[in-house]
């Protein structure tokens, strides 16, 4: 097993109001909520982490993209949720919008399906997670609520996804 090279990637997420509204099941957004979303978006950007996990030169295997928002964002969403569940849900969806927009900035193909297929990580990817302070759960998640782990470059949708059998969006079941 060769170790994956972990390098920071520069994601450039842009707020997509239509994507957010779709996630939030909203047809309109009140001005006060919009102001709160903008404030949180800007506050949360520094907590966005993006990495390329690449095979060493000449090694066989896949490369990956890993993005996540630090626990501070999870805590902020939870605090808002405790105050107002409706706004908590909106801010939860904002965090999803942020992480997906960041992923789409690095893999534009993701925008078409609005989903990032999740591969099953091998030992090298698990070691890379550990080096970044992350843990893989058998449910197919890392210990960050807002995270994307997907093949890089893009290599397909549902047909390569670890969650194919349990994903509500899957058209292959």
């Amino acid at each position: 097993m060769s170790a994956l090279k972990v390098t920071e990637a520069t994601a450039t997420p842009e707020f997509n109001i239509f994507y957010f509204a779709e996630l939030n099941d909203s047809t309109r957004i009140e001005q006060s909520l919009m102001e709160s979303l903008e404030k949180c978006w800007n506050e949360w950007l520094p907590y966005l982490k993006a990495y390329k996990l690449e095979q060493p030169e000449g090694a066989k295997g896949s490369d990956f993209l890993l993005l996540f928002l630090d626990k501070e964002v999870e805590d902020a969403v939870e605090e808002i949720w405790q105050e107002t569940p409706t706004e908590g849900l909106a801010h939860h969806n904002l965090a999803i919008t942020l992480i997906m927009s960041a992923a789409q900035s690095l893999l534009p193909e993701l925008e078409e399906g609005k989903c990032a297929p999740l591969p099953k990580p091998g030992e090298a990817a698990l070691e890379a997670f550990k080096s970044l302070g992350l843990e893989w759960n058998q449910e197919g998640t890392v210990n960050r609520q807002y995270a994307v782990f997907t093949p890089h470059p893009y290599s397909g949708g549902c047909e390569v996804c670890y969650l194919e059998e349990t994903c509500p969006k899957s058209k292959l079941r």
Side-chain angles (χ1 to χ4, degrees):
M1 167 189 82
S2 17
L4 293 173
K5 179 180 165 192
V6 178
T7 56
E8 284 192 52
T10 304
T12 53
E14 294 181 14
F15 180 70
N16 180 330
I17 194 165
F18 299 109
Y19 183 70
F20 170 79
E22 183 181 330
L23 272 178
N24 204 50
D25 198 23
S26 305
T27 54
R28 54 186 296 236
I29 301 170
E30 299 292 330
Q31 180 67 29
S32 60
L33 177 59
M34 198 64 203
E35 289 170 0
S36 178
L37 296 174
E38 179 182 20
K39 177 179 173 272
C40 287
W41 181 278
N42 292 327
E43 287 176 1
W44 295 348
L45 277 173
Y47 297 110
L48 173 66
K49 307 297 184 224
Y51 299 94
K52 290 182 182 175
L53 310 179
E54 300 169 302
Q55 293 290 336
E57 188 91 18
K60 292 183 180 179
S62 300
D63 294 341
F64 304 99
L65 184 63
L66 172 65
L67 299 99
F68 60 93
L69 292 170
D70 282 331
K71 187 165 181 350
E72 287 83 353
V73 174
E74 296 172 28
D75 294 342
V77 170
E78 182 60 31
E79 187 176 314
I80 296 166
W81 205 297
Q82 293 302 318
E83 292 173 21
T84 313
T86 303
E87 286 211 14
L89 179 60
H91 287 77
H92 166 76
N93 289 327
L94 177 68
I96 293 170
T97 301
L98 175 55
I99 200 76
M100 287 304 295
S101 175
Q104 290 167 6
S105 77
L106 294 165
L107 283 173
E109 300 90 342
L110 298 180
E111 192 169 351
E112 186 177 312
K114 295 187 170 93
C115 184
L118 175 67
K120 183 172 183 173
E123 285 300 316
L126 295 175
E127 286 300 317
F129 291 168
K130 282 183 189 173
S131 75
L132 296 168
L134 301 174
E135 296 173 23
W136 174 260
N137 303 308
Q138 291 309 310
E139 301 82 46
T141 62
V142 293
N143 61 330
R144 291 282 57 88
Q145 185 171 358
Y146 306 107
V148 169
F149 174 64
T150 197
H152 186 267
Y154 183 80
S155 62
C158 295
E159 64 277 3
V160 299
C161 188
Y162 179 71
L163 301 176
E164 178 188 343
E165 293 298 318
T166 58
C167 177
K169 290 173 114 181
S170 176
K171 294 176 176 55
L172 299 179
R173 281 183 281 131

